C-alpha cells in the first residue's frame, strides 16, 4: 500500500500545500487502484502531479467541512467538461450521510425561477454515494471507520490492504482527543493524525489535537509510526513536531505535499 500526500494544510490551503488530500494506492485485479481520501481546496489540480484524475477509482471524505471536501466540485467540473475524455465514469463517493446532496448544494446556483443553473444530471447524480459504515470494502482495502470528536459528523478511517503485505494505516480526520480514535488505530503501521493546535490552555475542547495529544494517541494505540498533518498556515510545523516528539517512542514525521510512504 502506497500513501502520497497531495495536500496537508489544515483549515485552509497554505503557501506550501493544498488543504487535506491523500492518495492511497495498491495493486488490484492486475492494475493500480487509487483511493483519494479527502479532497480539500487546491488538491484537485495538484492530483495531476501523481495521476490522471479520471483514473481515480473512489473518493472518500472524512467530513464535510470545506477544507476537506470542496475540491470534489472541481473534480466534477473536469469529469463533466474536460476535453478530450469527458464525461468521466461515475465513481463511488464515501462520506457522512448526505454527502453528494450537500456538495451538490455547494456547486449549483439556482436560477431566479428556482431551476438548476445547468441542465441535465446534477453533481449528486454523477457519483455513486455511500454513507460510511463501521466496516466496508473499497477495492483492495478493508476499511473501518469510527465517529470522532468534532463539531460535525466526522470519521477517522482505518485502511488495511487485503493482499500484499497487509499494510495498515489510520487517518484521524479532524478530532479532539477521544478513545474512539485510539481504539480504531490499535496496532496499525502508520497513524496519519491531525495536529492543528499548539499547546494552549484556551484551546476549545472537541475540535482538534495538539502535537502532544496526537503523539499520545499513537502511544495509546501502539502504532508503529506517526505522521503529523493538518497543521494550519499560521503555525510553524517544526514547532508542532517539537511538541509531539517527546510523547511517542518511535518515528514522528511531518506531512509535506508530495511526500510518499510505502506502508507494510
Amino acid at each position: 500500500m502506497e500513501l502520497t500526500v497531495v495536500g496537508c494544510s489544515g483549515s485552509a490551503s497554505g503557501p506550501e500545500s493544498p488543504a487535506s488530500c491523500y492518495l492511497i494506492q495498491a495493486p488490484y485485479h492486475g492494475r493500480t487502484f487509487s483511493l483519494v481520501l479527502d479532497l480539500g481546496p487546491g488538491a484537485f489540480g495538484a492530483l495531476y502531479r501523481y495521476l490522471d484524475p479520471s483514473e481515480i477509482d473512489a473518493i472518500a471524505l472524512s467530513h464535510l467541512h470545506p477544507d476537506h471536501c470542496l475540491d470534489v466540485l472541481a473534480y466534477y467540473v473536469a469529469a463533466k467538461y474536460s476535453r478530450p475524455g469527458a464525461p468521466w465514469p461515475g465513481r463511488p463517493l464515501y462520506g457522512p450521510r448526505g454527502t453528494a446532496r450537500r456538495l451538490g448544494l455547494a456547486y449549483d446556483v439556482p436560477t431566479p425561477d428556482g431551476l438548476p443553473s445547468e441542465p441535465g444530471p446534477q453533481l449528486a447524480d454523477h457519483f455513486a454515494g455511500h454513507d460510511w459504515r463501521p466496516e466496508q470494502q473499497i477495492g483492495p482495502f478493508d476499511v473501518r471507520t469510527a465517529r470522532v470528536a468534532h463539531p460535525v459528523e466526522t470519521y477517522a478511517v482505518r485502511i488495511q490492504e487485503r493482499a500484499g503485505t497487509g499494510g495498515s494505516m489510520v487517518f484521524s480526520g479532524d478530532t479532539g482527543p477521544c478513545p474512539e480514535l485510539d481504539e480504531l488505530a490499535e496496532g496499525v503501521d502508520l497513524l496519519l493524525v491531525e495536529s492543528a493546535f499548539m499547546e494552549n490552555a484556551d484551546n476549545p475542547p472537541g475540535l482538534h489535537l495538539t502535537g502532544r495529544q496526537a503523539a499520545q494517541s499513537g502511544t495509546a494505540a501502539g502504532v508503529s509510526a506517526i505522521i503529523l498533518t493538518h497543521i494550519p498556515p499560521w503555525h510553524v510545523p517544526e514547532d508542532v513536531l517539537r511538541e509531539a516528539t517527546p510523547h511517542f517512542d518511535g518515528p514522528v514525521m511531518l506531512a509535506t505535499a508530495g511526500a510518499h510512504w510505502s506502508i507494510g
Side-chain angles (χ1 to χ4, degrees):
M1 178 164 63
E2 307 291 324
L3 166 66
T4 301
V5 177
V6 180
C8 56
S9 185
S11 301
S13 58
E16 305 296 334
S17 175
S20 184
C21 185
Y22 309 94
L23 176 62
I24 302 165
Q25 297 174 298
Y28 187 58
H29 293 172
R31 54 181 291 272
T32 298
F33 187 96
S34 297
L35 169 66
V36 170
L37 182 56
D38 280 357
L39 195 49
F44 175 74
L47 277 167
Y48 280 93
R49 296 174 181 163
Y50 312 108
L51 81 170
D52 181 339
S54 69
E55 298 174 357
I56 291 168
D57 293 286
I59 297 171
L61 304 176
S62 62
H63 66 295
L64 298 181
H65 274 154
D67 57 315
H68 293 257
C69 70
L70 270 189
D71 259 24
V72 173
L73 279 60
Y75 172 95
Y76 172 68
V77 170
K80 187 171 183 178
Y81 294 114
S82 64
R83 295 293 184 270
W88 300 350
R91 300 299 190 193
L93 177 64
Y94 296 83
R97 291 168 294 177
T99 287
R101 181 192 62 81
R102 174 70 182 86
L103 291 172
L105 292 173
Y107 178 80
D108 190 52
V109 181
T111 62
D113 56 8
L115 297 175
S117 56
E118 297 179 12
Q122 303 298 298
L123 182 147
D125 303 316
H126 177 78
F127 296 98
H130 299 271
D131 295 346
W132 280 127
R133 301 198 305 266
E135 298 183 17
Q136 54 208 128
Q137 181 182 347
I138 303 177
F141 306 117
D142 286 327
V143 179
R144 292 167 50 195
T145 61
R147 181 87 177 260
V148 289
H150 202 54
V152 301
E153 184 181 351
T154 304
Y155 294 88
V157 182
R158 178 172 179 144
I159 300 171
Q160 181 150 2
E161 188 180 359
R162 296 172 61 87
T165 63
S168 59
M169 63 167 284
V170 162
F171 171 50
S172 67
D174 282 2
T175 182
C178 65
E180 292 81 3
L181 174 60
D182 301 348
E183 292 164 7
L184 185 71
E186 183 177 359
V188 297
D189 298 312
L190 182 66
L191 176 60
L192 179 63
V193 58
E194 74 110 293
S195 309
F197 280 162
M198 299 294 296
E199 290 294 324
N200 190 315
D202 294 332
N203 287 341
L207 188 60
H208 291 299
L209 297 171
T210 65
R212 172 184 61 81
Q213 291 167 334
Q216 289 173 335
S217 181
T219 296
V223 308
S224 298
I226 291 174
I227 300 174
L228 304 175
T229 193
H230 198 270
I231 298 170
W234 47 87
H235 288 161
V236 178
E238 289 75 15
D239 292 342
V240 180
L241 181 63
R242 278 192 289 271
E243 290 189 348
T245 300
H247 302 281
F248 182 74
D249 186 19
V252 183
M253 299 162 281
L254 287 172
T256 56
H260 178 90
W261 285 271
S262 295
I263 302 172

